Amino acid sequence: MARIIVITSGKGGVGKTTTAAAMAMGLAQRGHRTVVVDFDVGLRNLDLIMGCERRVVYDFVNVINQEANLNQALIRDKRCENLFVLPASQTRDKDALTKEGVGRVIEDLSSGYDFIVCDSPAGIEHGANMAMYYADDAVVVTNPEVSSVRDSDRMLGILSSKSRRAETQADPIREFLLLTRYDPERVAHGEMLSVEDVQEILALNLLGVVPESKAVLAASNAGVPVVLDRESDAGKAYGDMVARYLGEDVPHRFLHVEKKGFLSRIFRG
């Protein structure tokens, strides 16, 4: 049976879809048969970041409404044979995601995949609730700013009370923290919350810290999951995140201001 992972946050624009794409690709590259599902009905972006937008014929809602089967809707990634994408609909309303319909699709996927990564919309609206309902694990994505962290704290309450695991009194969802757009220099100047500040508020297991990086935007525009850019700090950080999720003991990077060498100081970096 597949392990179901929801990528969630309380606020938009923190990097959920980037994270969903990177995590799914990272898991697939390590040999795990993985599918990433876009729950953001009406505002789908996952297919763009995965670079498969021109290959979308049927979508998640088509499968729920039994207008198409999973084989018709799933898109195999061209770069990794273990990775598949189930895109969202751009023309339907989020109410098209029903608990029964989503459950049926998740159950069908579970028999053929090791991991199901659910890319959730932001906040607490219907699509987000559907994305988290069947989750086994949750990666809470937040930026190091007060409003983002506060909204993420609210999401933790929903994860612990409105999931299938909560309703059936099963083991709770495993919750992880991913801190994105982190800038150690701004932290040092008091312009941004530190990792310790965020952990003190949310009290979550730290899965990774992704530094502010132009590589994220460049990868998104190119339709390539940033985890494939192994030369960039962001790509390395997402690779580390996947390794930690799989149980590897990987030290955290990009937490502190990088010390510049003598020549760098002379030429001002």
Side-chain angles (χ1 to χ4, degrees), residues 27-246:
L27 291 168
Q29 285 194 314
R30 285 169 171 263
H32 301 285
R33 190 170 163 85
T34 304
V35 59
V36 57
V37 184
D38 192 348
F39 276 79
D40 202 355
V41 175
L43 293 171
R44 78 177 190 216
N45 286 309
L46 179 65
D47 55 312
L48 291 170
I49 288 181
M50 296 298 298
C52 63
E53 69 278 6
R54 295 182 181 179
R55 298 166 61 197
V56 177
V57 178
Y58 294 107
D59 57 53
F60 192 10
V61 174
N62 290 138
V63 179
I64 287 175
N65 292 340
Q66 299 181 328
E67 299 161 350
N69 61 45
L70 271 173
N71 285 335
Q72 290 176 292
L74 286 169
I75 301 171
R76 184 194 288 268
D77 187 85
K78 292 181 177 180
R79 295 153 297 208
C80 183
E81 64 178 7
N82 289 320
L83 181 57
F84 293 78
V85 179
L86 182 56
S89 171
Q90 280 188 310
T91 59
R92 308 291 182 96
D93 187 85
K94 287 180 172 60
D95 290 335
L97 298 179
T98 64
K99 190 177 291 185
E100 296 75 18
V102 171
R104 187 175 64 250
V105 174
I106 293 292
E107 184 176 355
D108 289 346
L109 289 170
S110 291
S111 61
Y113 292 87
D114 301 313
F115 293 103
I116 301 171
V117 179
C118 302
D119 181 23
S120 172
I124 57 175
E125 48 86 16
H126 181 70
N129 289 333
M130 288 296 96
M132 72 178 65
Y133 182 76
Y134 292 97
D136 299 310
D137 301 329
V139 177
V140 179
V141 184
T142 187
N143 293 156
E145 57 181 63
V146 173
S147 61
S148 182
V149 174
R150 181 189 62 190
D151 289 347
S152 293
D153 197 26
R154 188 179 183 192
M155 293 303 300
L156 294 177
I158 295 171
L159 284 167
S160 64
S161 60
K162 290 190 174 183
S163 68
R164 178 175 62 173
R165 285 177 169 266
E167 290 181 359
T168 59
Q169 299 183 9
D171 291 338
I173 294 173
R174 294 194 307 167
E175 298 167 340
F176 302 93
L177 170 65
L178 182 73
L179 197 55
T180 56
R181 304 193 70 174
Y182 196 73
D183 186 337
E185 288 193 6
R186 293 186 64 190
V187 171
H189 290 119
E191 300 172 358
M192 183 177 281
L193 296 177
S194 68
V195 172
E196 294 76 16
D197 292 333
V198 177
Q199 284 190 288
E200 184 176 343
I201 296 169
L202 298 180
L204 291 180
N205 180 28
L206 183 64
L207 194 60
V209 176
V210 181
E212 182 74 71
S213 173
K214 294 179 181 179
V216 173
L217 179 59
S220 297
N221 288 339
V224 177
V226 70
V227 72
L228 295 178
D229 182 0
R230 294 180 176 85
E231 298 301 315
S232 71
D233 287 349
K236 294 173 184 175
Y238 275 115
D240 290 350
M241 177 199 76
V242 173
R244 290 190 199 97
Y245 175 79
L246 293 174

